[in-house]
Structure formats: C-alpha cells, structure tokens
Amino acid sequence: MAQIPYWHVDAFADRPFTGNQAAVMVLEEWLPDDVLVAIGEENNFAETAFVVRDEAGEADWELRWCTPTYEIALCGHATLASGHVLLSRDGGERVTFRTRKAGILEVRRADAAYEVGLPAILTEPKAYPEAVALLGAEPQEVWRNDTLYNIFLFENEAQVRALDPDLRALGEFGVEQFACTAPGDSTDIVSRVFVPGAGVDEDSVTGSAHAALTPFWANKLGRESFTAHQASQRGGTLTCMLDGDRVWLGGPCATVVEGVFKI
C-alpha cells in the first residue's frame, strides 16, 4: 500500500471554508495517468495538484493537475496551494514548478500571503451569441481567444451577482471557461466563472480565469495592478498585477487537512 502525503488547502482564503479548495499531493514518482485522475475523482475537488521533484533541474518541482474527470493544462489556485504547502514545509521565499503545457510557474511569498505567476492569457473582442443567449443577461462586450477563455463584461456588480445561466446548455460547449465580470463595489473588479463542461458549474476562485481577466482589466483600468473579488458562494479576494507576459495573482491560503492518502 502506497502512502502519499496529502494536504487540503483553501486557496485565496484567509480562513477555512472560503476561497477555492485544492488537494496537494507530494509523490516520489509519477503514477499512471489513470490513477492520477482516479485520485482526483476520489478527492472530488475542482483540482488535485500533484508534485514530483524535477530531476531535469529546470525547476524545483514538476506539477500536474487533475479534475475529477481529466488532467488539465493550467490551474492557478492549486498552484498557489502547492506553493503554500511546500514553502510552509520546506521554508524559502519562492518555489518553481515545471508544467507540461504552461511552462515554468512560480509561487513566492508576499507579506503574509503568496503570489503565483502565471502566463498572461490574451483575449480580443469577438461575438459569441450562442453563449450570450444562455447567460440570462446581455453583456456590454464579449472578449475571447482561440482556446478556452471567454470574458463577458457587464455594467456593474449587481448584474454579475444576479446571473442565472443555463449551465447544462453551457456545458455543451465543452471545457470552456465563461468569466462574467464588471467593476466591483468593494474591489476594483468582480467576477463569476462558470466551467460546466469540466464538471465545475461555478468555480470558487479561478486563477486561470484571472490570468485572462488581468490583461483585460489592466487595459480597461489603465493600470497594471488592481484588486479582484470572485463572487461565488465561497468567495475569494485576490490581487492582480500584469508584468509583461506574466500575471501575478496574490492571496493567502489556509490548510484545513493534513494527512496521508492510501492506495
């Protein structure tokens, strides 16, 4: 029986029961792909992060993420959670991760919290009427890219909070993200993010979505740094900074469970 060190972390959270949940698991070597996905299903969080020492020496660790159904290319909150676990356990000011599709990622300490560096995801104005029809309200603008990221700009926070999209129908578009955003009341921006095609009807706090929202809003606001709140049921607040072709997303983490996963 294998025993894998396990942490359950609430990311972008200054206390338990808020932010976005992630499991972090430190492996001695990679398990078969189907086993990683099976562990993700067993944990039943939006993402489980797996780390293995990077023998290639390009980074400190290799990092992969699995939802309950498949392996994904990028996850911000589970990367922040992984950095929190490793920096808390091993010490240091920063830790780097080599990923299979997102390049080298970094988590660094920032005051009493952390910042995760992710590749900036660029979007451009592009109509998406078939998705807009399912949101339940008409956005002012729609921005998209050629992969999975869609941004719908609304006039104010109240409109974003009132959205009641047809999640089953949105899920038919596959694993695309639908980020609905507006100027915030108590933060610079607010958002809600729906990913029903990936089995996450509404995500709690989405790092990868803010990798797209950061360059979008930096352009709108005319400045590189701002605050953001994701208005999900659990909710979470983060800082966002555009730094060239990278974004830095900041926030605290709370470990709520530490133990051993047995297989």
Side-chain angles (χ1 to χ4, degrees):
M1 177 179 292
Q3 300 192 52
I4 304 169
Y6 167 95
W7 290 261
H8 169 184
V9 176
D10 291 343
F12 297 111
D14 59 2
R15 63 191 185 281
F17 316 127
T18 61
N20 202 353
Q21 302 176 86
V24 179
M25 304 182 69
V26 179
L27 307 176
E28 293 295 327
E29 59 183 6
W30 289 118
L31 299 170
D33 293 354
D34 61 335
V35 175
L36 297 181
V37 175
I39 293 172
E41 180 183 16
E42 184 74 15
N43 289 332
N44 202 32
F45 298 136
E47 277 83 24
T48 294
F50 301 93
V51 296
V52 172
R53 281 287 184 186
D54 185 12
E55 297 299 332
E58 297 177 29
D60 299 314
W61 298 85
E62 292 184 74
L63 172 62
R64 296 166 68 181
W65 314 269
C66 288
T67 76
T69 55
Y70 70 103
E71 183 173 355
I72 62 173
L74 176 64
C75 178
H77 84 275
T79 304
L80 190 78
S82 299
H84 160 72
V85 165
L86 295 169
L87 290 173
S88 298
R89 188 190 72 170
D90 303 335
E93 294 298 314
R94 61 190 289 273
V95 60
T96 56
F97 301 97
R98 178 165 62 89
T99 68
R100 300 199 169 188
K101 295 184 178 180
I104 303 294
L105 307 183
E106 179 180 339
V107 175
R108 63 191 184 189
R109 294 186 187 272
D111 297 325
Y114 306 92
E115 291 178 330
V116 56
L118 304 175
I121 297 171
L122 302 181
T123 56
E124 60 184 7
K126 188 176 182 181
Y128 203 175
E130 57 269 45
V132 168
L134 302 173
L135 295 178
E138 186 76 21
Q140 294 178 318
E141 300 177 21
V142 179
W143 290 57
R144 306 176 62 196
N145 68 9
D146 294 331
T147 54
L148 307 174
Y149 298 91
N150 306 287
I151 296 173
F152 304 90
L153 176 65
F154 290 86
E155 182 178 355
N156 55 54
E157 181 169 325
Q159 289 182 326
V160 171
R161 288 184 177 273
L163 290 173
D164 185 20
D166 185 336
L167 295 171
R168 177 173 294 183
L170 282 177
E172 296 299 317
F173 292 104
V175 296
E176 296 184 32
Q177 287 187 4
F178 301 92
C180 301
T181 188
D185 294 338
S186 57
T187 54
D188 292 315
I189 73 160
V190 68
S191 68
R192 293 173 66 192
V193 179
F194 308 98
V195 204
V200 183
D201 284 350
E202 181 170 0
D203 203 15
S204 297
V205 188
T206 316
S208 58
H210 283 85
L213 288 167
T214 296
F216 172 84
W217 275 109
N219 180 61
K220 293 286 186 185
L221 297 171
R223 51 192 167 93
E224 295 178 341
S225 299
F226 53 89
T227 58
H229 179 73
Q230 192 158 326
S232 61
Q233 182 176 357
R234 291 173 63 92
T237 299
L238 57 160
T239 60
C240 304
M241 180 177 69
L242 181 63
D243 181 17
D245 61 357
R246 176 177 286 199
V247 303
W248 290 96
L249 308 177
C253 291
T255 297
V256 294
V257 178
E258 182 176 351
V260 175
F261 190 104
K262 299 179 180 181
I263 57 173

